[in-house]
Amino acid sequence: MRQIRIVLTGFGTVGREFIRLIKEKSERIKENYNLELRLVAVGGRDGFIGSEEGLRLDSLSEARPGSQSLADYARNFHMPLTTRYGKADVLVEAAPTDVERGEPGFTHIMTAFRNRMDVIAISKGALVARYDTVFEAAKANKVRVKYSGATAAALPTKDIGEISLAGSEIVGIEGILNGTTNYILTRMQEDGLSFEEALLTAQQKGIAETNPDLDVKGIDSACKILLLSNDLLGTHYSLKDLSIQGIDQVTKEQIAGAKGRGMKYKLLARAHKQEGNVHISIAPMEIGPGHLLAAVDDTNKGIVFQTDTMGEVCVLGGSSSPRGAAAAALKDLINLYRDH
Amino acid sequence: MRQIRIVLTGFGTVGREFIRLIKEKSERIKENYNLELRLVAVGGRDGFIGSEEGLRLDSLSEARPGSQSLADYARNFHMPLTTRYGKADVLVEAAPTDVERGEPGFTHIMTAFRNRMDVIAISKGALVARYDTVFEAAKANKVRVKYSGATAAALPTKDIGEISLAGSEIVGIEGILNGTTNYILTRMQEDGLSFEEALLTAQQKGIAETNPDLDVKGIDSACKILLLSNDLLGTHYSLKDLSIQGIDQVTKEQIAGAKGRGMKYKLLARAHKQEGNVHISIAPMEIGPGHLLAAVDDTNKGIVFQTDTMGEVCVLGGSSSPRGAAAAALKDLINLYRDH
């Protein structure tokens, strides 16, 4: 039995769900993969709680998301909130982050590297803002980085390109990678709503955030295709190299027109190799019923890989939820440490 | 650079395509994975040709599929056809096979195990007929078995269950796993043909074989879902444990009726956990437009995994061709020997 000591940064809904999954799945993971998972520290805004013997999963599973719960835990179990944590094998990075500076994720990740820890990123900020720096530092420290939770979560994307298409050349990637914008476009399409009306519906249902810009302006989709392209197509791009158009200018009339022609509007994130260059664009596009992504509605996501030897391989589905994102990080963790 | 010495059994269209891929991809595989592939023996009906320095890929790439070409190669390059081959790392098993006895694949695989070689199966006979025997022998000899080429080939199936869904519990699998029957049903649906007429069309186009029983009676689909269930759902089934119904009894009238209700007939292979048991069935079923596999037409294939933490994950596409099947075996080879 191999013991894996885990540090988690960020105790939001996804971070808490990750803790719940460790609790729920630990016996099965021992049996199936010979891995014993131990959560040795959790960090929030005000510092880390930590325990070499492992933190109490039952207590954290029931706590409210947010840094206050870590302070409460520290008080209840008579421990300090610290700026450092003890020896561990892997950092699961799920702190709130921004895609311009990538903090605090970037600092968490660099600290982990210096401690010779592998990193599983759920937050995308650090990778998007400083992709090359992060991967060069990982290489220099001989550690590994996984980030399924940052590229469409429970929808497998990077796995497919890396494992299922190994040996094929990927010549293009096309995806509906953001559930919120897909939900808004579906409401516009099916219920005849304007963008503003559909956005409001999404906000009322808790699907869109109060500040929906990252989603509706196409930034979230751009971040995901950027990471996939840098990883699978060998680019070294950052957001400024991409052509990004959101869905906030799509009108009722455009949607109705498309519908009349038997088409649907979808926010497509595309990366294509062309004469040695890779061009990436994010834009709302009309797609017809023959398109592999035509049936991807509501908060669902999907991705198509075009290859030279395996034809087109398309993946759809994967729960768009905190539990799905946490499950994607748990998958990364198992794949890092299982016997191959 | 790690050198991988490969033995191939079976020089049919898929075997030859595998050799073509090694030739086409060898430089890129060196660069990307640090693996040098060397084909050291190829076996057919009358014996093996072999060379420690590697057989001539250019010559074999252009030869006609079939054992006669191996005899020709032996004569042209002044070597004997032998019953044994030299030291190697991996067997790629692509000989014609039957699903009842699993020969000659079973013998090839057992010989490889005794020589401490890993095995990549493209032919499914040995695994279907003697699943437990094969995997117990692999374990006893401390070698590994991969078989993407035997379970829907370029459509990723086992990878998804093993890697992309690691840590999730798979509670059900449902797939359109056979391109020939899906083509026949599509022709019946779209062109109003009878089963016999659609089968004839498929035979004329080289999609269905002269003896189409394995496909149209559902056996091929059954073999694939059997392997996936034994591997991912922990069953120890053989074909006799499955409920298998083909498409040869589907009538024009049934198809027309379904079409009238907005439904399609598809040959679905399904494995479901229920109260600790796994039930497997293969049968033509009506599915509606909301079904994740509804758009899988012609020779295309698709599979849906139902999970406890990631929702439903669906994979579609993957070229149904000898090149696609060979690419699946090449993927297995890379994933066996790459650095993880």
Side-chain angles (χ1 to χ4, degrees):
Chain A
M1 188 73 65
R2 180 164 177 201
Q3 194 184 84
I4 308 297
R5 293 158 303 180
I6 303 164
V7 175
L8 169 70
T9 43
F11 189 69
T13 51
V14 176
R16 183 182 65 175
E17 209 59 44
F18 181 75
I19 293 173
R20 287 178 172 172
L21 278 185
I22 297 180
K23 178 166 173 282
E24 184 183 329
K25 298 280 186 183
S26 63
E27 284 310 307
R28 195 174 275 261
I29 288 169
K30 278 183 197 168
E31 269 171 47
N32 292 352
Y33 304 103
N34 212 29
L35 298 175
E36 189 195 326
L37 307 186
R38 180 174 291 190
L39 183 71
V40 297
V42 181
R45 193 187 50 223
D46 308 313
F48 288 87
I49 52 173
S51 159
E52 272 187 48
E53 290 72 41
L55 292 162
R56 297 193 54 155
L57 303 181
D58 51 353
S59 173
L60 289 168
S61 289
E62 298 306 319
R64 228 183 213 299
S67 292
Q68 181 57 44
S69 289
L70 303 183
D72 294 346
Y73 184 104
R75 197 180 56 248
N76 291 341
F77 295 104
H78 314 292
M79 56 174 64
L81 274 173
T82 61
T83 55
R84 295 174 172 226
Y85 47 82
K87 229 172 146 41
D89 301 291
V90 61
L91 167 70
V92 176
E93 210 297 289
T97 185
D98 69 282
V99 296
E100 272 154 37
R101 292 178 53 252
E103 292 292 0
F106 182 75
T107 299
H108 289 320
I109 289 172
M110 288 312 207
T111 305
F113 287 169
R114 277 194 301 276
N115 293 328
R116 294 288 189 276
M117 290 162 63
D118 297 317
V119 168
I120 294 167
I122 299 176
S123 308
K124 47 180 87 56
L127 298 179
V128 168
R130 308 185 69 173
Y131 187 91
D132 283 350
T133 311
V134 167
F135 282 90
E136 281 159 20
K139 200 173 172 187
N141 287 285
K142 295 186 177 143
V143 294
R144 297 168 294 172
V145 182
K146 292 250 185 195
Y147 54 85
S148 294
T151 50
L155 176 77
T157 53
K158 183 169 176 305
D159 301 341
I160 303 295
E162 189 180 327
I163 304 291
S164 299
L165 303 180
S168 275
E169 188 185 350
I170 299 170
V171 294
I173 304 174
E174 181 169 66
I176 295 172
L177 300 178
N178 179 274
T180 304
T181 45
N182 203 40
Y183 181 82
I184 292 170
L185 289 174
T186 304
R187 292 281 68 76
M188 291 175 74
Q189 180 95 18
E190 291 182 2
D191 307 338
L193 303 183
S194 70
F195 167 74
E196 289 75 15
E197 291 163 340
L199 171 60
L200 191 65
T201 306
Q203 285 171 325
Q204 283 164 347
K205 286 185 178 282
I207 293 168
E209 296 181 43
T210 318
N211 178 352
D213 279 3
L214 275 185
D215 291 324
V216 302
K217 290 188 182 301
I219 313 295
D220 180 74
S221 299
C223 290
K224 290 169 181 166
I225 194 80
L226 173 73
L227 293 180
L228 291 172
S229 174
N230 282 354
D231 201 330
L232 300 172
L233 303 181
T235 51
H236 293 267
Y237 290 162
S238 56
L239 282 179
K240 67 174 169 27
D241 302 308
L242 278 50
S243 157
I244 308 174
Q245 192 187 333
I247 63 163
D248 47 347
Q249 305 299 320
V250 177
T251 65
K252 263 169 101 152
E253 291 67 32
Q254 285 175 305
I255 297 265
K259 204 170 170 178
R261 290 186 295 278
M263 310 285 277
K264 285 178 181 179
Y265 259 83
K266 293 291 176 193
L267 182 63
L268 292 186
R270 311 210 286 183
H272 278 271
K273 279 190 192 166
Q274 211 163 26
E275 293 167 13
N277 289 318
V278 175
H279 180 69
I280 304 187
S281 65
I282 296 88
M285 313 262 290
E286 285 188 22
I287 65 174
H291 196 288
L292 281 165
L293 300 174
V296 179
D297 289 326
D298 297 312
T299 60
N300 289 312
K301 298 181 295 244
I303 191 163
V304 181
F305 295 88
Q306 284 122 15
T307 75
D308 64 338
T309 57
M310 299 207 195
E312 290 192 318
V313 171
C314 169
V315 195
L316 310 176
S319 174
S320 287
S321 65
R323 187 168 162 90
L330 182 62
K331 161 185 82 170
D332 282 348
L333 193 147
I334 291 169
N335 287 328
L336 275 179
Y337 300 110
R338 74 196 298 178
D339 270 339
H340 279 283
Chain B
M1 188 74 66
R2 179 164 176 200
Q3 194 185 84
I4 308 296
R5 292 159 303 180
I6 303 165
V7 175
L8 170 69
T9 44
F11 189 70
T13 49
V14 177
R16 183 182 64 175
E17 209 58 44
F18 181 75
I19 292 173
R20 287 179 173 171
L21 279 185
I22 297 180
K23 178 167 174 280
E24 184 181 329
K25 297 282 187 182
S26 63
E27 284 311 306
R28 194 174 275 261
I29 289 170
K30 277 184 198 168
E31 270 172 46
N32 292 352
Y33 304 103
N34 212 28
L35 298 174
E36 188 196 325
L37 307 187
R38 180 174 291 190
L39 183 71
V40 297
V42 180
R45 194 185 50 222
D46 309 314
F48 289 86
I49 54 173
S51 159
E52 272 186 49
E53 290 72 44
L55 292 162
R56 297 193 55 155
L57 302 181
D58 51 354
S59 172
L60 289 167
S61 289
E62 297 307 320
R64 225 183 211 303
S67 291
Q68 182 56 45
S69 289
L70 303 184
D72 294 346
Y73 184 103
R75 200 182 52 249
N76 291 342
F77 295 104
H78 313 292
M79 56 175 63
L81 275 172
T82 61
T83 55
R84 296 173 172 227
Y85 48 82
K87 230 174 146 41
D89 301 291
V90 61
L91 168 69
V92 176
E93 212 297 289
T97 186
D98 69 283
V99 295
E100 272 155 35
R101 293 177 54 250
E103 291 293 359
F106 182 74
T107 299
H108 289 321
I109 289 173
M110 288 310 204
T111 304
F113 286 169
R114 277 194 301 275
N115 293 330
R116 294 287 189 276
M117 291 162 63
D118 297 317
V119 167
I120 294 167
I122 299 176
S123 308
K124 47 182 86 59
L127 298 179
V128 168
R130 309 184 70 174
Y131 186 90
D132 282 350
T133 311
V134 167
F135 282 89
E136 281 160 20
K139 200 173 171 188
N141 287 285
K142 294 184 178 145
V143 293
R144 297 167 296 172
V145 182
K146 292 250 185 195
Y147 55 86
S148 294
T151 49
L155 175 78
T157 53
K158 184 170 176 303
D159 300 341
I160 303 295
E162 190 180 326
I163 305 292
S164 300
L165 303 179
S168 274
E169 188 185 348
I170 299 170
V171 295
I173 304 174
E174 181 169 66
I176 295 173
L177 300 178
N178 178 274
T180 304
T181 46
N182 203 39
Y183 181 82
I184 293 171
L185 290 174
T186 304
R187 291 280 69 75
M188 292 175 73
Q189 180 96 19
E190 292 182 2
D191 308 337
L193 303 184
S194 69
F195 168 74
E196 289 75 14
E197 291 163 340
L199 171 59
L200 191 65
T201 306
Q203 285 171 325
Q204 283 164 348
K205 285 184 180 282
I207 293 168
E209 296 181 44
T210 318
N211 179 350
D213 279 4
L214 275 185
D215 291 324
V216 302
K217 289 187 183 301
I219 312 294
D220 180 75
S221 299
C223 290
K224 291 167 180 166
I225 193 80
L226 173 72
L227 294 180
L228 292 172
S229 174
N230 282 353
D231 201 331
L232 300 172
L233 303 180
T235 51
H236 293 269
Y237 289 164
S238 56
L239 283 179
K240 67 175 169 28
D241 301 309
L242 278 50
S243 158
I244 308 175
Q245 192 188 333
I247 63 163
D248 47 348
Q249 305 299 318
V250 177
T251 65
K252 264 168 102 147
E253 291 68 31
Q254 285 175 304
I255 298 265
K259 203 170 172 178
R261 289 186 295 278
M263 310 285 278
K264 285 177 181 179
Y265 260 83
K266 293 291 177 193
L267 182 64
L268 291 186
R270 312 211 284 184
H272 278 273
K273 278 189 194 166
Q274 211 164 24
E275 293 168 13
N277 290 318
V278 175
H279 181 68
I280 304 187
S281 66
I282 296 87
M285 314 260 292
E286 285 189 24
I287 64 174
H291 195 288
L292 281 166
L293 300 174
V296 178
D297 289 327
D298 297 313
T299 61
N300 289 313
K301 297 181 296 242
I303 192 164
V304 180
F305 294 88
Q306 283 122 16
T307 75
D308 64 338
T309 56
M310 299 207 194
E312 290 192 318
V313 171
C314 170
V315 195
L316 310 176
S319 174
S320 287
S321 65
R323 187 167 162 92
L330 182 63
K331 160 186 81 170
D332 280 349
L333 193 148
I334 291 168
N335 287 328
L336 275 179
Y337 300 109
R338 75 197 297 178
D339 269 340
H340 279 283

